[in-house]
Amino acid sequence: MFLAMDTVFDQCSIAILDANGQVLSSHTETGKRQQTQQILPMIDAALSEANLRLADIKALIFNRGPGAFSGIRINTAVVQALSVAHDIPCVGVSSLQAIAQCAYKKYGLTQVYSALDARMQQVYFGQYSILGDVADNSIMQPVLATDSDSTEQLLDYDSQTALNLPIVGNGAPLLKAYDEQVCHEDVWPDAVVIGQLGIAQFMNVGGTDAANALPRYLRNQAWKTLKEQGKA
C-alpha cells in the first residue's frame, strides 16, 4: 500500500493506493490556507477508511515541486517526519510530470509541454512524452531540453515553445502559442495522480530515506521574501 499527498497545487489532497495504482481512499480539499491544519487529520481519515495503519504503508509519495514554496514545504516536511518516525521510504514526484500525466489521462495526449505559473513573470516548464521503449508505457516521461541539462526549467511569460506541441497546466495561457497550438489550462492533478507516478517510480528505482526526500524549487532564493530577493 502507498500513501500519496499533495499540497503544492493549492489544495490538500491525500490518497492511498495499492501496488497496481488502484485507489483505496482519496480526498481533496481545495484552497491552501488550511493545509497545515488539514493534512494530518486527512491522512488519519484516509488510513481509517482503508482500514490500514502507517505500518502497512510501503512508501510515502509526495509532490516535490516545483511550485508554491509553502505548499512544497508542507508536504515535504510531513513526509520526512512520517518517514523518520515509522521507517518508511519516500518517493518525490515532479509537479510538472504530474500535470503531464493528468493531461494524458484526461485528454489522451501523449506529448505535451507542462507549464505551471511560477509568478514573477515566469512559468515552471518541462516537456513530457509517452515512450514506447520503457517498461510502463502509460507513464509520461521527461524529455531533456535540447538547450539545457535539466528537464525542468523557468521560462519567461510570452516565451514560445520549440515545437508546436500541446501546452497543459495553468501556465499555458501565459506563453506565446503558435497558431492552432492546443492549450489546456484546466489540468490540475490530485494525490491519486501523484501516487500512480510515485508507485511506478518506486517499482523502477525504489525510494529514499527522509534526509534525501528533497524539494525542488528551481528558484534558488524561493525561501526569501520579494524584498530580500531585490524584487520589491
Side-chain angles (χ1 to χ4, degrees):
M1 304 301 170
F2 296 82
L3 172 60
M5 63 193 75
D6 170 60
T7 56
V8 177
F9 290 117
D10 291 349
Q11 63 189 1
C12 190
S13 185
I14 304 295
I16 296 178
L17 306 93
D18 66 18
N20 295 315
Q22 298 300 307
V23 180
L24 282 70
S25 178
S26 173
H27 297 279
T28 298
E29 296 288 341
T30 58
K32 59 184 179 180
R33 294 186 180 276
Q34 302 298 320
Q35 289 171 323
T36 53
Q37 290 79 28
Q38 291 171 331
I39 188 167
L40 290 177
M42 287 179 68
I43 289 173
D44 287 340
L47 289 168
S48 178
E49 182 176 338
N51 196 27
L52 296 171
R53 302 170 301 154
L54 277 169
D56 300 316
I57 298 300
K58 186 74 171 177
L60 302 164
I61 302 168
F62 69 106
N63 186 341
R64 63 158 176 76
F69 171 72
S70 59
I72 297 172
R73 181 178 60 185
I74 291 168
N75 65 190
T76 302
V78 169
V79 161
Q80 289 174 334
L82 293 177
S83 174
V84 170
H86 299 276
D87 194 26
I88 307 173
C90 310
V91 180
V93 170
S94 164
S95 60
L96 295 175
Q97 185 182 17
I99 291 171
Q101 187 68 21
C102 192
Y104 171 67
K105 292 177 64 177
K106 186 172 184 177
Y107 294 108
L109 299 173
T110 57
Q111 295 187 78
V112 300
Y113 290 117
S114 286
L116 178 63
D117 189 3
R119 314 299 180 185
M120 301 184 193
Q121 302 295 306
Q122 290 182 311
V123 299
Y124 301 116
F125 180 83
Q127 183 180 346
Y128 296 85
S129 176
I130 294 290
L131 303 178
D133 58 349
V134 297
D136 190 342
N137 60 5
S138 65
I139 297 295
M140 281 288 209
Q141 303 291 343
V143 177
L144 189 67
T146 55
D147 58 349
S148 172
D149 60 357
S150 173
T151 60
E152 300 171 333
Q153 308 171 63
L154 276 166
L155 288 186
D156 293 333
Y157 284 0
D158 294 324
S159 296
Q160 192 166 48
T161 59
L163 303 172
N164 189 355
L165 298 177
I167 311 174
V168 297
N170 72 346
L174 304 174
L175 298 174
K176 182 181 179 181
Y178 294 99
D179 291 341
E180 300 182 358
Q181 187 169 16
V182 174
C183 293
H184 292 294
E185 59 181 298
D186 60 334
V187 177
W188 212 242
D190 60 8
V192 172
V193 175
I194 299 292
Q196 290 168 343
L197 287 174
I199 291 169
Q201 184 175 321
F202 183 82
M203 296 302 185
N204 187 33
V205 297
T208 186
D209 59 17
N212 291 297
L214 301 176
R216 173 76 163 158
Y217 294 121
L218 288 189
R219 284 200 181 104
N220 292 330
Q221 297 181 321
W223 54 275
K224 292 185 177 182
T225 66
L226 293 178
K227 184 176 181 180
E228 289 170 331
Q229 294 178 43
K231 297 179 182 290

